[in-house]
Amino acid sequence: MKRLLLLVAMLGCVAVATAQVKARAPYVNFTVLADHSDCLYKIGQEPRLELYAKAGGTGLDGVMVSYEAGNDRMEADLKGTTVFRHGKALVPVGTMTTPGFRFCTIRFEVKGESYTETVKVGFDVNDIEPTISNPLDFTFFWEQSIKKARAVTTPIEVTPITNPKFTNDRFTTTMVCIPCDEEGGSIYGYVTIPNDGAKHPVLFVPPGAGVKHIAPSTSYAEEGFITFTMEIHGLPINASKEEIQAAKERIGEYWYTHIEERNDYYYRRVYVGCVKAIDYLMTLPEWDGKNVGVTGGSQGGALSIITAALHPEVDFVAAFYPALSDVSGYQVGRAGGWPRMFVHSGDHPEINHKKALRVMGYYDVVNFARRVKCPGFYNYGFNDNTCPPTSVRAALNVITAPKKIVETPASYHWRFGEVNREATEWMKSQCK
């Protein structure tokens, strides 16, 4: 018995010792702040980053910091080193002579562990102008494209979804296939309708980039919206993993497909498909007959702005870090939007870049943003390298409709939950 009690006591000591040794916080804590709290400056000003760091609770002292800075998504043009003193170091960012953003990446090492952070700051960002051309027949081209898409009379297929997670006493979800061109191209999506017997606003939710599985979403339905979550590649949403992988290999970099041909470019079917998705939502008997919205991020943010511009019945748009914005930026030595087309003249040598750039004038978000007439909520992060802030502001700055721009300097290619909630509340406030 004594031996048992001794063993229990020893095990208890080991457990306590283990709990005492296990760290409850990282050994190194560091913060990087711009000397303007909003990270925004005037052209010619010279920002500095303030670095604060502790190791084991003691301010770093004598630790070297290396840094490099440059214009958004460009090569660094400023490099150097500095040293932490009493837990603080100051790092220069450089300045700009034209509106835009600059990045600064800092690195240091403590006890063999490396630490790094990148911060971007903006200069007169309200004055960033687009570089993409604005075709004179832009409106006519899209009017004719939509007219042809609406002339396709192949019946819409609606398939009930029986998964109790998406169809239950609160919601009913169906899979919808909408034909959108003469060649048999279609878009698929999930439509989720609240089961409360009331009328509801409709909300179209286009997807981010890639060929991937799309699942129904009930989050906006829980907020009182009828939602349409879309897939853009004509791939049945219930496709197997093998079918999705095969489609990835077949479609690949779809944003380059037929990019030299205005009428055949991959996104043409997608854009008119978004319009037909709104058309379909407006036929639902559960729609309140008044309110139509669209929201999405990245490629979905692009398609949100595009849909708002092309469909006159859209009443509000909430777009996050829209892709496909001012893609020609790299041609003039500044950041362009996803998918980083035309970064180098040697990229995709099989493509005639002059032709492709002319075609992109009909598909770039900037030229749709010029034509948005409904109120909008827009969010982007300064540190986003997928959809660089320079390209996003080039699009947002040409919007003349009422707009609320929420900048979150600390975010990358994602959004904070608090901002997402703010956008949802804003969309609800737009409903009449």
Side-chain angles (χ1 to χ4, degrees):
M1 183 66 178
K2 290 181 179 180
R3 290 181 179 178
L4 178 60
L5 291 174
L6 178 61
L7 177 60
V8 170
M10 290 174 64
L11 290 173
C13 290
V14 170
V16 171
T18 301
Q20 290 174 341
V21 171
K22 185 178 181 181
R24 298 183 181 180
Y27 180 65
V28 172
N29 286 280
F30 73 99
T31 301
V32 183
L33 298 174
D35 56 1
H36 283 191
S37 59
D38 59 4
C39 298
L40 293 173
Y41 299 83
K42 295 291 184 182
I43 288 173
Q45 289 183 319
E46 298 187 356
R48 292 193 303 176
L49 300 183
E50 301 172 351
L51 282 58
Y52 300 91
K54 293 181 179 181
T58 301
L60 292 185
D61 200 48
V63 174
M64 187 179 73
V65 180
S66 64
Y67 60 86
E68 59 179 27
N71 291 348
D72 191 13
R73 292 298 271 162
M74 298 289 108
E75 294 292 329
D77 54 37
L78 176 66
K79 297 182 180 181
T81 60
T82 186
V83 176
F84 276 108
R85 296 298 183 195
H86 308 296
K88 182 178 179 180
L90 295 176
V91 172
V93 178
T95 191
M96 297 189 73
T97 58
T98 57
F101 287 83
R102 281 181 67 82
F103 75 88
C104 184
T105 299
I106 60 98
R107 298 180 178 88
F108 63 94
E109 187 175 295
V110 178
K111 294 187 180 298
E113 293 291 330
S114 296
Y115 300 88
T116 184
E117 184 67 86
T118 297
V119 172
K120 292 185 190 179
V121 298
F123 295 82
D124 287 329
V125 300
N126 292 329
D127 297 328
I128 296 174
E129 296 182 354
T131 64
I132 194 76
S133 63
N134 183 16
L136 293 176
D137 62 343
F138 179 94
T139 300
F140 178 78
F141 171 74
W142 283 109
E143 286 177 347
Q144 293 303 304
S145 297
I146 292 169
K147 183 178 180 180
K148 289 181 180 179
R150 284 174 168 161
V152 176
T153 58
T154 307
I156 294 173
E157 298 178 14
V158 180
T159 305
I161 299 299
T162 59
N163 185 327
K165 183 178 179 181
F166 305 113
T167 295
N168 48 49
D169 58 344
R170 294 185 299 154
F171 314 107
T172 295
T173 300
T174 56
M175 183 175 72
V176 178
C177 177
I178 301 178
C180 53
D181 63 32
E182 307 91 332
E183 290 75 36
S186 302
I187 60 166
Y188 284 83
Y190 287 114
V191 175
T192 301
I193 303 174
N195 283 341
D196 56 7
K199 303 288 186 178
H200 295 275
V202 294
L203 186 64
F204 176 50
V205 187
V211 182
K212 56 194 175 185
H213 176 70
I214 301 293
S217 174
T218 62
S219 60
Y220 288 120
E222 290 171 351
E223 299 291 341
F225 292 101
I226 297 170
T227 59
F228 188 131
T229 307
M230 187 180 77
E231 190 277 340
I232 68 169
H233 304 294
L235 185 68
I237 296 181
N238 55 358
S240 67
K241 291 182 179 179
E242 292 75 19
E243 289 173 317
I244 292 174
Q245 183 58 40
K248 286 182 180 179
E249 296 172 1
R250 183 180 70 257
I251 297 171
E253 295 180 312
Y254 56 87
W255 44 88
Y256 285 114
T257 302
H258 302 306
I259 195 173
E260 298 172 299
E261 302 297 332
R262 182 183 68 169
N263 292 326
D264 298 327
Y265 185 41
Y266 193 91
Y267 274 111
R268 181 169 176 263
R269 175 185 56 81
V270 176
Y271 290 11
V272 297
C274 291
V275 171
K276 293 201 70 173
I278 298 291
D279 289 348
Y280 173 73
L281 286 170
M282 293 173 60
T283 68
L284 297 175
E286 295 86 356
W287 176 45
D288 64 13
K290 297 179 293 185
N291 298 294
V292 178
V294 58
T295 186
S298 194
Q299 178 183 261
L303 295 177
S304 295
I305 293 173
I306 288 161
T307 306
L310 290 179
H311 206 301
E313 298 301 323
V314 173
D315 299 298
F316 56 88
V317 55
F320 302 85
Y321 35 86
L324 293 162
S325 296
D326 205 41
V327 297
S328 56
Y330 292 105
Q331 292 291 292
V332 297
R334 79 175 201 199
W338 179 92
R340 299 199 75 206
M341 295 176 175
F342 321 117
V343 177
H344 305 294
S345 58
D347 289 348
H348 289 273
E350 75 281 5
I351 294 173
N352 183 313
H353 282 207
K354 288 185 178 180
K355 285 185 177 180
L357 278 168
R358 285 197 295 270
V359 168
M360 285 309 300
Y362 294 91
Y363 290 89
D364 195 291
V365 167
V366 164
N367 291 330
F368 293 92
R370 300 179 192 278
R371 295 161 171 86
V372 169
K373 293 183 173 58
C374 64
F377 178 103
Y378 306 99
N379 168 244
Y380 70 102
F382 289 8
N383 292 334
D384 194 336
N385 276 334
T386 303
C387 298
T390 303
S391 68
V392 172
R393 283 309 301 236
L396 300 188
N397 287 348
V398 300
I399 296 174
T400 57
K403 58 187 174 183
K404 179 176 184 178
I405 300 177
V406 176
E407 296 168 317
T408 46
S411 61
Y412 291 74
H413 195 59
W414 42 261
R415 56 191 183 263
F416 290 101
E418 291 82 355
V419 175
N420 204 51
R421 185 64 198 171
E422 182 182 358
T424 299
E425 293 302 317
W426 178 89
M427 288 190 291
K428 290 164 67 175
S429 75
Q430 297 299 306
C431 295
K432 311 174 189 65

